DNA sequence: GGGAACAAACGTCAATTTGA
DNA sequence: TCAAATTGACGTTTGTTCCC
């Protein structure tokens, strides 16, 4: 299988812009010269099935490579450069950070823990000890932060306790958030502090379904971004591999020519 | 300035894989 | 077995460059 060819991954930037399929083909062509016999003749159905089957994820491929070959960085869940947490602060890595109108910071960490910080000189880095949490399954009657996809003004809103909303500005690389009083009544499809067990009417069920869909879309949106990042990393890895193999190939050809000259001297 | 062409990034859906 | 994660495919949006 093609991903078995990738035994190494080097970092040598090259100029050409290949698609990942082109690169895979190129790497395979360079690396498999001693396996040409296998490619001849009819592919049996089992092999064909293997070829057609979905490839392992980029994360898995590169992590396998990194465990085989020291020096190849693993693909982490979160990029380290995005984690600005100082080592002396014991807290979960925040995945979403919001700023209130008074300058307070709210971080929603992986696992759903909510952290609130007072206005500090370092902004996010000034996050203090956990003040409120909703991590894990909420107990009966617990307050639930609600997420609504889009309000009338095109922003995204998270409803939090205290009749306030966290408003996300329009799309962008660095989304910004604000906590403010809702400018309008709750948009359709949003129920304050609704817990799944308390849903009864068809309307509530529909609202819950809508909310779940929005949540799923949001998660998939983030997953797609992450997937694209991994794919770019993977393509870079293949580009490096191509460059190294091409150099190796050239050296071997030159070596072969030299040996030929030595072994077959001219008979003039 | 503005319109066309192009590339890159994005959001969504659906099929597939993964891991508990 | 099933929910969650992953990723290919496709259409859309956004940014950049070139030409008029």
């Amino acid at each position: 299988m093609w991903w078995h060819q990738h035994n190494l991954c080097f970092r040598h930037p090259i100029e050409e812009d290949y698609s990942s399929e082109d690169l895979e083909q190129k790497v395979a062509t360079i690396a498999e010269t001693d396996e040409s016999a296998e490619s001849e003749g009819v592919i049996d159905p089992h092999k064909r099935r293997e070829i057609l089957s979905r490839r392992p994820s980029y994360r898995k491929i590169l992590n396998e490579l990194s465990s085989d070959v020291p020096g190849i960085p693993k693909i982490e869940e979160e990029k380290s450069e995005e984690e600005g947490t100082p080592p002396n602060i014991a807290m979960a890595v925040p995945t979403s950070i919001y700023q209130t109108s008074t300058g307070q910071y709210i971080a929603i960490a992986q696992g759903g823990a909510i952290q609130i910080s007072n206005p500090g000189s370092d902004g996010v880095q000034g996050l203090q000890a956990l003040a409120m949490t909703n991590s894990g399954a909420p107990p009966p009657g617990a307050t639930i932060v609600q997420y609504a996809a889009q309000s009338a003004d095109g922003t995204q809103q998270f409803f939090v306790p205290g009749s306030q909303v966290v408003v996300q500005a329009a799309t962008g690389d660095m989304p910004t958030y604000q906590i403010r009083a809702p400018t309008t009544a709750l948009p359709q499809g949003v129920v304050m502090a609704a817990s799944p067990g308390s849903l009864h009417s068809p309307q509530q069920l529909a609202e819950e379904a809508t909310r779940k869909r929005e949540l799923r879309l949001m998660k998939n949106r983030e997953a797609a971004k992450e997937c694209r990042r991994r794919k770019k990393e993977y393509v870079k890895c293949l580009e490096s591999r191509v460059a190294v193999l091409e150099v190796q190939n050239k050296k071997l050809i030159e070596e072969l020519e030299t040996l030929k000259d030595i072994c077959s001297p001219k008979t003039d």
Side-chain angles (χ1 to χ4, degrees):
Chain A
M1 217 90 75
W2 65 266
W3 52 83
H4 293 157
Q5 316 280 351
H6 309 154
N7 298 322
L8 288 170
C9 176
F10 301 92
R11 286 277 168 196
H12 288 293
I14 57 176
E15 295 301 321
E16 294 99 330
D17 188 22
Y18 301 106
S19 72
S20 59
E21 288 78 13
D22 291 341
L23 282 164
E24 287 156 8
Q25 180 65 45
K26 197 160 186 172
V27 170
T29 303
I30 293 170
E32 74 173 358
T33 51
D34 58 345
E35 298 174 7
S36 57
E38 195 177 320
S39 64
E40 292 171 4
V42 181
I43 304 171
D44 74 51
H46 183 67
K47 273 194 173 176
R48 179 178 162 77
R49 172 78 188 96
E50 281 187 341
I51 291 167
L52 290 176
S53 69
R54 192 188 186 90
R55 68 186 65 176
S57 71
Y58 300 117
R59 186 202 304 275
K60 186 170 184 175
I61 294 167
L62 286 183
N63 284 351
E64 280 176 3
L65 289 175
S66 66
S67 62
D68 290 346
V69 182
I72 298 176
K74 285 193 174 190
I75 296 180
E76 302 295 345
E77 291 293 330
E78 298 283 334
K79 290 206 92 175
S80 57
E81 64 210 29
E82 291 165 3
E83 299 168 0
T85 309
N88 59 335
I89 296 180
M91 53 177 258
V93 177
T95 57
S96 304
I97 296 166
Y98 315 102
Q99 186 174 22
T100 71
S101 56
T102 60
Q104 277 191 317
Y105 288 92
I106 297 179
I108 299 179
Q110 287 178 336
I114 295 177
Q115 293 162 330
I116 300 179
S117 72
N118 291 321
S121 55
D122 314 301
V124 176
Q125 294 192 354
L127 280 172
Q128 294 177 349
L130 192 66
M132 178 173 72
T133 180
N134 67 346
S135 60
T143 305
I144 294 172
V145 176
Q146 287 285 330
Y147 166 76
Q150 282 208 314
S151 67
D153 59 357
T155 60
Q156 292 187 321
Q157 297 189 349
F158 300 81
F159 287 82
V160 298
S163 302
Q164 288 184 307
V165 293
V166 178
V167 181
Q168 180 184 9
T171 59
D173 279 351
M174 198 66 181
T176 56
Y177 302 85
Q178 272 189 321
I179 288 188
R180 68 181 189 209
T183 54
T184 59
L186 289 181
Q188 266 194 326
V190 175
V191 179
M192 287 296 291
S195 66
S198 67
L199 296 176
H200 296 300
S201 72
Q203 188 186 353
Q204 281 177 319
L205 290 173
E207 286 166 353
E208 176 67 8
T210 302
R211 193 185 63 83
K212 279 185 179 174
R213 173 184 154 78
E214 296 300 341
L215 203 59
R216 181 169 52 78
L217 288 179
M218 187 171 65
K219 285 177 81 175
N220 188 243
R221 202 153 45 227
E222 293 304 312
K225 280 182 190 171
E226 184 61 17
C227 179
R228 286 178 185 123
R229 186 188 66 77
R230 281 197 298 267
K231 186 172 184 176
K232 281 173 79 174
E233 192 172 331
Y234 173 68
V235 168
K236 276 185 189 172
C237 184
L238 286 184
E239 287 172 348
S240 303
R241 178 74 171 136
V242 165
V244 169
L245 286 174
E246 281 178 343
V247 169
Q248 279 183 0
N249 203 29
K250 194 176 175 184
K251 276 186 182 174
L252 287 171
I253 289 171
E254 288 171 359
E255 194 177 328
L256 180 64
E257 293 301 324
T258 306
L259 289 172
K260 273 184 183 173
D261 288 345
I262 293 172
C263 293
S264 57
K266 289 180 182 176
T267 58
D268 287 348

